[in-house]
Amino acid sequence: MSPQINDLIASLPEEEFRILTEHMHLVSLQKGQTLFDAGETVTQLYFPVGALVSMIVDQPDGGCVETYMMGKACFVGVGASGQPSFYRATVRHSGFAYRISVADIQRVIPRCPAYIQRVNQGVQLMLKRMTQSIYCGKKHSVELQLIRWLLVTLDRTLTNRIEITHREISDLLSFRREMVTVAIGRLVDAGLVSVSRGLITVLNRAGLEALSCDCY
């Protein structure tokens, strides 16, 4: 599996691609696996090529909220490289990623100006999307937020099959489970998705895009 499946890695000049990838190792990530916790100093970065990782903020009452979704468009460890993390990174969709140590990144980064530029652009894009997500959460219905979340998930992985339960969506998006079930049911009735135990399959992406709000 090529590291160039990851958009950030694919955008690098040939020399920087060679410098970075010679320190990377392909690893298999499993759903539910926590890569690092909030407050933990991050020592490894992950560049997904199929896996999907949630940026999770845990609440004192035991709840949690997904603040960002990390997949093939970026890397896991942004905002936390070599520093205590402000979020928990937990694998939401099993798959592969290329792993590199922060120590190796810091050693070669002086020779990788394009990589630094791509990372800075990625952070700016992440902040823009997080801001848009907050707006969507305050202004739009459960169904519209669910559609946006499904489309963003598809953008960051390699399949139209999303391994997730209604309860997990409820926790990640901070909605009551019943509201999530009703919203998914409407999409099923419209022929846009199908549902089986622990799995949502997108059948008609164009149809979802036609219904989506401007936040996507």
Side-chain angles (χ1 to χ4, degrees), residues 35-46 77 79-87 102-103 106:
L35 303 181
F36 51 83
D37 279 307
E40 181 180 338
T41 298
V42 177
T43 61
Q44 304 284 339
L45 304 183
Y46 298 82
S81 305
Q83 302 292 327
S85 175
F86 59 89
Y87 60 90
V102 171
Q106 291 174 338

Side-chain angles (χ1 to χ4, degrees), residues 175-193:
F175 294 126
R176 288 190 295 109
R177 180 177 177 178
E178 294 80 7
M179 298 172 69
V180 170
T181 298
V182 169
I184 292 175
R186 291 183 182 135
L187 300 182
V188 171
D189 291 342
L192 300 175
V193 305

Side-chain angles (χ1 to χ4, degrees), residues 120-163:
N120 289 336
Q121 291 171 342
V123 171
Q124 292 176 2
L125 182 59
M126 181 185 73
L127 292 174
K128 177 180 178 181
R129 287 173 171 168
M130 290 175 74
T131 301
Q132 195 71 53
S133 178
I134 292 170
Y135 176 87
C136 190
K138 291 182 177 295
K139 294 293 185 179
H140 295 144
S141 67
V142 175
E143 186 172 340
L144 286 177
Q145 291 184 60
L146 176 64
I147 289 172
R148 180 185 61 82
W149 182 86
L150 290 170
L151 289 170
V152 169
T153 299
L154 294 183
D155 288 343
R156 285 160 171 71
T157 188
L158 305 176
T159 176
N160 67 333
R161 294 158 58 88
I162 302 171
E163 300 174 10

Side-chain angles (χ1 to χ4, degrees), residues 31 52 54 66 69 90-93 149 153 163-164 172:
K31 181 177 179 178
L52 203 58
S54 288
E66 180 187 68
M69 189 189 307
T90 297
V91 180
R92 185 155 61 73
H93 181 87
W149 182 86
T153 299
E163 300 174 10
I164 198 162
L172 292 174

